[in-house]
């Protein structure tokens, strides 16, 4: 009897198994295998890109969080080659191979070097991550007029828009360059309804950082964050708008929503320093201590601590800064022009070599015990002080909580490992304590 | 009773096995092979690298081949063309000449991957080239080839010596060198400290031909071999003269390298060197057209 029961259980179990294993109810969702669809997608993108004489305008935003702002590129594609022209060098077209391939999906890859396309992606010993530029892009969607791309390195979205403007690409880029030279504002102000909107403009990195009062949005943004770390919620919101230049003004990386208004593109009017999209008007302002680039040139008495020295500021070839000479015969010092502020900045920099070792002019914090850094973003700014009739150095923090009020000559090995202060050019010359001012002779 | 159970079990099993309808497999593969247009260099590489040696020379950027720890960029096409000729004329043809084509086919690395820039570390130093498992050699800094490759010294330092160096590793991994080699300098190897003072300047006196030789005995072996065959005796002697007491160690090790190459691989290092120097001279004197992609 027992055996019979066992047999029944066995039979029942086997029947269940049989019933399950035979139930075949598979439906194909797609009519073709994935790789075939992918290959079709890729070939469609390629034919759109290479469509007769089609010119594409690319919005290139290198770096994480679009930290350098955007740059305009014009591209044409033919027979597996891409021809690129960018606003940094609008008169030259650079050609190289490209491919549309697949790794985790369809990818547009500029896979042979191109002077225009790889400019933000090319690393160096000073910038091992380059400017975080992309040259491989995931293709998100395509149509005849627009191909949506996402940078594989930065995750920024890059659009390729079919360009059918009245201008030639060359003229468009020349106009973009004129605009980038003309726009001059350190801050912007606007009224949005009854509310004030303020923005800090970083022209070098093509970004406006807006601050405005919106308790509701602020509460939302602060929800879940550690209050002690973030500070009290004061109702103010900060929002960054990376932008690129257009022939008529600026265009935001993506539409930005502030206090119920959404905006993305502004026309710029140089005469009254105004950005407007027809609804919102941003009034550009320059600070009262703003100095135009050419006005820094000349001979000065440089004062620091209890000392004086005759120095000369000479504009460098690129127009991006000044060379200060005269302080010491062994080296000159580079001061970069900060366009948005109308100031110069003197940062840690390489000023010479000792064998294979590097001699740095290193930013130095004498006020708080004498720590130093050769981080090339640390240093001091130089600005015009009207009441004293001279340019003065501003001690303070510029990077990573490092306060600078002085400079010191420091030696490192070629790998950047610290050695010691450098006194090979004389002990007295090895320090520039407490920088004060440059007074015109 | 037992019989009934058996019959039941067997018939049900048959039912289970036979009840499923047979799936008809599609005759289409789910894998689609990408087809890319061949460039002139691709065609040249097929004839000069792929067909005779089964060597893949990758000069267009490939995410899968690149090291994600570094920010890299692709090489310029025209310079990749030159590099392909250099690898062929200075390395592949050299080993063909000295050791025979079968030797090159069997042991020479099967893949070259080119990138335009160096692989920069965050401290400002950079990597010239690497090898992976005796199969793949990374050649970096190709976009500087015109600048640094003008003379034999630059060409060797930045590019070609790396290939001989890595190839030596492959030979060593295939047939190991005598243990005795590692004992010449004993505990003189300093691992990653080779680039730091005092090791980065005192290496000759310590019995090493280059600073990097101090990493470990395998690197020391590859450095000795690649430095020796890419330099003239005059240069070799002038370096050895600076070594002082270190000279005896270098010479002792060089003897081991020399007999290993001859006994194990039948390669006379002096013949190899003479061949390399002659070919180097052909390149730097402009006898070889590095841009000619004519297929012969």
């Amino acid at each position: 009897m027992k055996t019979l029961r066992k047999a029944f259980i066995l039979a029942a179990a086997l029947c269940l198994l049989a019933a399950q294993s035979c139930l075949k109810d598979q439906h194909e969702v797609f009519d073709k295998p994935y790789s075939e669809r992918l290959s079709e997608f890729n070939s469609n993108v390629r034919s759109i890109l290479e469509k007769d004489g089609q010119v594409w305008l690319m919005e290139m935003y290198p770096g994480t969080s679009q930290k350098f702002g955007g740059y305009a590129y014009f591209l044409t594609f033919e027979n597996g080659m891409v021809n690129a022209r960018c606003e940094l060098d609008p008169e030259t077209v650079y050609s190289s191979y490209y491919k549309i391939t697949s790794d985790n999906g369809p990818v547009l890859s500029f896979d042979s070097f191109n002077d225009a396309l790889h400019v933000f992606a090319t690393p160096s010993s000073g910038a091992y991550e380059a400017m975080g530029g992309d040259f491989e892009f995931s293709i998100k969607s395509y149509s005849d007029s627009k191909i949506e791309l996402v940078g594989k390195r930065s995750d920024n979205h890059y659009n390729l828009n079919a360009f059918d403007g009245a201008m030639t690409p060359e003229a468009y880029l020349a106009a973009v360059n004129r605009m980038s030279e003309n726009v001059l504002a350190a801050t912007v102000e606007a009224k949005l309804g009854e509310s004030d909107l303020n923005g800090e403009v970083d022209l070098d990195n093509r970004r406006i950082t807006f601050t405005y009062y919106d308790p509701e949005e602020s509460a939302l943004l602060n929800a879940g964050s550690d209050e002690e770390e973030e500070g009290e919620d004061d109702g103010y919101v900060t929002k960054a708008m990376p932008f690129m230049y257009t022939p008529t003004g600026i265009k935001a990386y993506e539409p930005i929503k502030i206090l119920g208004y959404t905006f993305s593109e502004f026309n710029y009017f140089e005469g009254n320093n105004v950005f407007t999209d027809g609804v919102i008007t941003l009034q550009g302002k320059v600070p009262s201590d703003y100095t135009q680039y050419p006005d820094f040139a000349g001979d000065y008495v440089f004062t620091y601590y209890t000392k004086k020295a005759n120095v000369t500021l000479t504009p460098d070839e690129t127009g991006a800064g000044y060379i200060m000479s005269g302080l010491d015969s062994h080296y000159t010092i580079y001061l970069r022009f900060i366009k948005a502020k109308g100031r110069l900045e003197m940062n840690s920099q390489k000023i010479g070599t000792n064998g294979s070792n590097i001699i740095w002019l290193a930013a130095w914090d004498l006020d708080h015990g004498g720590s130093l850094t050769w981080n090339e973003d640390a240093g001091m700014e130089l600005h015009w002080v009207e009441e004293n009739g001279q340019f003065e150095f501003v001690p303070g923090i510029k990077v990573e909580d490092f306060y600078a009020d002085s400079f010191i000559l420091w030696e490192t090995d070629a790998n950047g490992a610290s050695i010691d202060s450098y006194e090979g050019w004389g002990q007295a010359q090895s320090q520039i304590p407490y920088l004060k001012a440059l007074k015109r002779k | 009773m037992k019989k009934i159970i058996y019959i039941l079990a067997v018939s049900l099993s048959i039912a289970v096995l036979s009840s499923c309808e047979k799936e008809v497999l599609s005759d289409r593969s789910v894998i689609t092979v990408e087809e890319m247009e061949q460039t002139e260099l691709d065609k040249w590489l097929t004839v000069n690298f792929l067909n005779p040696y089964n060597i893949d020379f990758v000069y267009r950027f490939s995410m899968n081949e690149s090291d994600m720890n570094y920010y890299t960029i692709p090489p310029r096409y025209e310079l990749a063309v030159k590099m392909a000729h250099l690898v062929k004329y200075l390395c592949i043809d050299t080993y063909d000449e000295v050791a025979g084509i079968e030797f090159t086919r069997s042991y020479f690395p099967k893949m070259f991957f080119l990138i335009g820039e160096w692989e920069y570390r965050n401290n400002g130093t950079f990597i010239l080239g690497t090898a992976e498992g005796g199969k793949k050699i990374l050649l970096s800094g190709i976009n500087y080839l015109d600048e640094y490759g003008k003379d034999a010294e630059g060409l060797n330092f930045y590019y070609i010596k790396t290939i001989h160096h890595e190839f030596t590793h492959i030979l060593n991994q295939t047939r190991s060198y005598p243990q005795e080699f590692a004992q010449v300098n004993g505990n003189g190897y300093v691992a990653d400290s080779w680039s730091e003072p005092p090791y980065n300047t005192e290496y000759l006196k310590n019995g090493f031909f280059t600073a990097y030789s101090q990493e470990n005995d395998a690197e020391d072996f590859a450095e000795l071999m690649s430095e020796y065959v890419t330099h003239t005796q005059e240069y070799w002697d002038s370096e050895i003269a600076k070594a002082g007491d270190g000279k005896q160690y270098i010479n002792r090790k060089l003897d081991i390298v020399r007999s290993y190459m001859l006994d194990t691989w039948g390669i006379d290092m002096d013949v190899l060197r003479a061949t390399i120097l002659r070919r180097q001279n052909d390149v730097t004197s402009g006898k070889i057209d590095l841009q000619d992609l004519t297929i012969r």
Side-chain angles (χ1 to χ4, degrees), chain B residues 104-151:
Chain B
T104 320
R105 277 182 182 151
S106 307
Y107 303 110
F108 203 69
K110 290 295 171 213
M111 182 193 239
F112 284 84
F113 179 57
L114 273 57
I115 55 174
E117 263 292 342
W118 314 110
E119 287 187 337
Y120 291 101
R121 301 191 187 94
N122 62 1
N123 62 5
T125 61
F126 56 84
I127 296 171
L128 295 180
T130 56
E132 277 174 27
K135 290 276 181 286
K136 168 180 160 187
I137 289 188
L138 167 81
L139 290 174
S140 62
I142 299 301
N143 291 355
Y144 296 100
L145 185 58
D146 278 344
E147 192 180 332
Y148 294 140
K150 279 188 293 226
D151 52 35

Side-chain angles (χ1 to χ4, degrees), chain A residues 91-288:
Chain A
E91 282 162 24
T92 318
V93 175
Y94 295 97
S95 299
S96 58
Y97 289 100
Y98 83 97
K99 71 171 172 237
I100 294 175
T101 180
S102 343
D103 38 54
N104 289 326
V107 168
L108 168 65
S109 172
F110 298 128
D111 64 349
S112 69
F113 186 79
N114 183 302
D115 287 273
L117 289 164
H118 293 90
V119 66
F120 299 112
T122 303
S124 63
S125 32
Y128 74 101
E129 294 179 312
M131 287 172 80
D134 288 288
F135 59 88
E136 289 208 305
F137 309 89
S138 302
I139 307 168
K140 293 292 156 193
S141 72
Y142 65 85
S143 70
D144 282 347
S145 59
K146 187 178 191 176
I147 294 173
E148 287 186 312
L149 306 172
V150 170
K152 283 178 67 177
R153 210 171 254 179
S154 68
D155 222 16
N156 296 338
H157 56 73
Y158 291 70
N159 287 337
L160 276 177
N161 292 309
F163 183 72
D164 44 14
M167 288 167 131
T168 63
E170 205 174 346
Y172 183 100
L173 292 177
V176 161
N177 272 336
R178 274 196 301 279
M179 185 54 65
S180 76
E181 279 161 24
N182 291 343
V183 169
L184 190 57
T187 55
V188 289
E189 294 172 6
K191 275 274 180 206
L192 295 185
E194 291 303 302
S195 309
D196 290 324
L197 175 66
N198 292 299
E200 245 187 75
V201 186
D202 180 350
L203 292 176
D204 298 316
N205 295 310
R206 304 186 170 191
R207 168 181 295 256
I208 302 178
T209 309
F210 290 110
T211 308
Y212 53 96
Y213 185 69
D214 186 341
E216 223 169 280
E217 191 180 357
S218 174
L220 261 176
L221 290 172
N222 279 317
S225 70
D226 186 344
E227 281 212 0
E228 269 181 39
E229 214 174 271
E230 299 284 323
E232 289 286 306
D233 179 9
D234 57 6
Y236 281 90
V237 177
T238 304
K239 204 173 264 183
M241 182 185 91
F243 67 82
M244 62 192 288
Y245 291 104
T246 67
T248 55
I250 61 171
K251 183 184 179 194
Y253 169 66
E254 56 193 1
I256 181 166
K257 197 173 175 188
I258 292 178
L259 295 161
Y261 292 83
T262 303
F263 43 88
S264 64
E265 214 165 333
F266 294 93
N267 288 324
Y268 179 71
F269 297 94
E270 194 188 348
N272 46 4
N273 202 358
V274 150
F275 301 83
T276 181
D277 66 352
V279 180
I280 300 157
T281 301
L282 302 173
Q283 176 64 57
K285 299 244 162 129
V286 289
S288 56

Side-chain angles (χ1 to χ4, degrees), chain B residues 275-294:
Chain B
T275 313
I276 289 174
L277 295 182
R278 188 191 76 229
R279 287 175 171 270
Q280 244 168 229
N281 191 44
D282 289 348
V283 168
T284 50
S285 62
K287 273 189 200 161
I288 304 300
D289 184 351
L290 300 175
Q291 281 155 313
D292 181 13
L293 290 176
T294 318

Side-chain angles (χ1 to χ4, degrees), chain A residues 3-4 7-8 10-12 14-15 17-18 21-22 24 26 31-36 39 42 46 79-80 97-103 109-113 115 118 121-125 128-130 132 135-136 152-153 413-416, chain B residues 1-2 4-5 8-9 12-13 15-16 19-21 23 28-32 34-37 39-40 59-64 69-78 116-118 120-126 143-144 195-197 200:
Chain A
T3 332
L4 192 63
F8 274 128
L10 188 69
L14 275 168
C15 285
L17 194 69
S21 66
C22 281
K24 210 163 181 59
Q26 271 177 256
D31 56 349
K32 288 170 193 164
Y34 172 71
S35 72
E36 213 171 304
S39 148
N42 287 355
R46 180 165 172 169
N79 305 324
Y97 289 100
Y98 83 97
K99 71 171 172 237
I100 294 175
T101 180
S102 343
D103 38 54
S109 172
F110 298 128
D111 64 349
S112 69
F113 186 79
D115 287 273
H118 293 90
T122 303
S124 63
S125 32
Y128 74 101
E129 294 179 312
F135 59 88
E136 289 208 305
K152 283 178 67 177
R153 210 171 254 179
D413 70 12
N415 293 325
Chain B
M1 195 62 184
K2 265 191 180 166
I4 297 174
I5 297 170
L8 196 67
L12 270 169
S13 302
V16 168
S19 62
C20 288
E21 77 177 283
E23 193 180 351
R28 274 191 318 195
S29 167
V30 293
I31 296 163
T32 311
E34 278 179 38
E35 280 181 22
M36 249 171 52
E37 281 164 25
T39 64
E40 290 306 305
Y59 65 94
R60 291 176 72 168
F61 189 80
S62 159
M63 190 190 70
N64 292 334
N69 290 313
Y70 301 94
Y71 278 70
T72 56
I73 51 164
R76 273 180 207 282
Y77 174 79
E78 313 82 69
E117 263 292 342
W118 314 110
Y120 291 101
R121 301 191 187 94
N122 62 1
N123 62 5
T125 61
F126 56 84
N143 291 355
Y144 296 100
S195 61
E196 292 164 17
N200 57 355

